[in-house]
Structures are given as C-alpha cells and as structure tokens.
Amino acid sequence: MSVKEIYAATNNLNALNFIGQGIAGKVYKGVLSNGCHVAIKHIKDGYAETFMREVTSLCHIRHPNLVALQGYCEEEDECFLVYELCTNGNLSEWLFAKDKTLSWTHRLEIAIGSACGLWFLHTYPEGCIVHRDVKPTNILLGADFEAKLSDFGLSKVVDLGVSYVSSEVRGTFGYVDPEYRQNHRVNAAGDVYSFGVVLLQLLSGKRAINLNLRRPMPLSKMIRILTEGGIISDFADPKLGGEYSMEAFEVCFKLALSCIAHKQQRPTMGQVVSSLEKAMEISNKAVEISTSTETYSLTVS
C-alpha cells in the first residue's frame, strides 16, 4: 500500500478522522479506494521495531478474536499499519465512560472472546505468542461487540520446547505480572495475569490502579481488602444494576483471582475459556428460569 493511498483514505490524516493514540503512534479511521473502512496507525519516528514486530506477528495470523491486519506501508520515512475498523471502539471506553453501559452478557462475551484470542496465540503451532500488553484499550469491539485483541508491538514468540524468553520488562503499569517484573522471563503466564486484571475490571467497572489515594493501589490489592470477610456482590459494577447471575459472577470472580495468583497456581487460557463458558451457561439458564417464572406469573394472574 502506498503513502498516497494512506493519505487519500484519511483525508491527509485529518484530525476529524483521529480515533485514538498508543505509545507507537496515532490511529485514524479511513476509507480505502475499494470502499473498505479501516483503522490506520501512523507509527512515530523511533518505533520502527514496533512496526516490524506488528507486521511479522499479524501478517500471517488470522482469528476472529484478533484484529485483522489489512495491509501496511513503509516508504518515504513513514510507516503505517492498516487494520479492520472496529466500530465500537475499545473496551476501556465502554467500561469507564459515564454515558456508556455494558450488559452482563456483553461483558461475558467480551471476556470469552478475548480469552479465545489469547488461547489461540498461546497455542500457535509455530511457537507460543505472548502479547505482553493485554489491557482494555487493546481490546477492540466490533459491530456486535465481539472482542478483538490489538496492538502487538510488544509481543514475543516463545519457541517450541522453550518455557520462556528473557526480555526487559515492558507493558502497562497495573497489568504487568509481578513475577515477570522480578525475573524478566516472558511466558504465557504473564498474559494470564494481565487477563485476570481485565476480568476484574469487567466485573467491577474499576480501573487497574486507584490513583485517588496518596499511595496508588492496584486493583488486585483493592479486591483483597474489599472482599476480606465481605460479600462478593459488593464488588459488582453499580452500572450492572444487579442484572446478572450471582452464581456466574462468583465463577468469574474466583477465576480472575486465580489468574492473578502466583504463576504456578494460574490456569491456562484454555482453562480460562472453559470457566467463562461455564459462567455463560449458568447465566443463560438463570435467564430462562426468570423468563419462565414471569410467564407463569402472568398466566396465573
């Protein structure tokens, strides 16, 4: 794809088409000459390594829960990545905006989709792909709120037969595995930890770090304080309005805690998917029972 096509698609990177910004650059929405709606990331100077990592990570990988790379451009000292456009933005916008609300079912579906994407990466035939930056802003939402993992600028491949690779600590404060911070070993367990923090946010609607305190407190610590001898339901996002299955909520809550436990106690992403699907099954049954009860009540009256 040429620079000329990129600028034509975004109306010369017009500010009206700006939709977000990450560490490596700004993102614009655009329309290609074939009518395809896309998201175009303009890579900053000095982030060529990030650019190449995303290209090599995504160009040959396809999965419903990974954002699809449509093309890229590297010429005239400018780098661009062209992705499918996810029309509902990212998970962070929906979790933390005052004027937006995600239903319990949507939250579960997003959790399952994100987990499936990570499971696919961790079991990739050519080697485990560790994302290293799983967080709400990197979970994009499609037209039907289907979750798609994005931003592979920090990803690492752990070759088959190898348990980890060593690397400098990278990632986002509040989501980085404490063990990785200590030993600099990159492996799938780090993504599981990050996913656990995301799942806690889906349940609570709280940010990963409470910055309103004199000493910022991680959500993982906040939870333990809130739930010591307390009621799990007190942790639920008020925006849910009580519209969820308590049994399913508990399954998800305990799963999230297992994800942020010590590395040896963490589940695999395959096990995470299985538990979340169980929670969805419980929720669906609860809805069926509630609907049947309401119907019966109306019939009797």
Side-chain angles (χ1 to χ4, degrees), residues 38-146:
V38 293
I40 298 175
K41 182 190 286 186
H42 187 194
I43 305 295
K44 293 179 189 174
D45 290 339
Y47 284 86
E49 182 186 348
T50 296
F51 169 80
M52 290 310 301
R53 189 181 289 118
E54 289 216 43
V55 169
T56 53
S57 293
L58 286 176
C59 65
H60 61 289
I61 295 176
R62 289 290 182 270
H63 186 274
N65 297 115
L66 302 181
V67 69
L69 183 67
Q70 308 278 21
Y72 61 93
C73 169
E74 185 182 17
E75 58 179 82
E76 300 176 14
D77 298 322
E78 287 195 279
C79 300
F80 296 91
L81 293 167
V82 182
Y83 300 103
E84 63 176 311
L85 181 66
C86 295
T87 54
N88 272 312
N90 65 59
L91 176 58
S92 181
E93 295 167 10
W94 284 87
L95 274 182
F96 307 126
K98 292 181 180 178
D99 60 340
K100 293 184 177 182
T101 303
L102 285 171
S103 69
W104 171 246
T105 299
H106 272 144
R107 293 181 198 222
L108 264 183
E109 288 172 344
I110 291 166
I112 291 171
S114 305
C116 284
L118 283 173
W119 186 19
F120 173 81
L121 292 174
H122 291 176
T123 55
Y124 196 66
E126 295 176 20
C128 169
I129 301 173
V130 183
H131 188 283
R132 284 212 299 170
D133 203 17
V134 179
K135 57 184 179 180
T137 50
N138 285 341
I139 297 174
L140 303 184
L141 303 175
D144 296 319
F145 288 90
E146 64 275 23

Side-chain angles (χ1 to χ4, degrees), residues 174-212:
Y175 298 90
V176 178
D177 177 4
E179 293 181 44
Y180 166 45
R181 289 203 303 265
Q182 292 174 357
N183 60 29
H184 293 205
R185 293 179 176 181
V186 176
N187 52 38
D191 279 352
V192 175
Y193 179 92
S194 302
F195 179 83
V197 177
V198 171
L199 184 53
L200 288 171
Q201 292 179 294
L202 278 165
L203 296 175
S204 68
K206 300 182 188 299
R207 295 185 180 274
I209 301 289
N210 184 348
L211 298 175
N212 294 325

Side-chain angles (χ1 to χ4, degrees), residues 224-232 234:
R224 292 190 174 96
I225 292 172
L226 286 171
T227 56
E228 280 178 6
I231 303 169
I232 291 178
D234 290 345

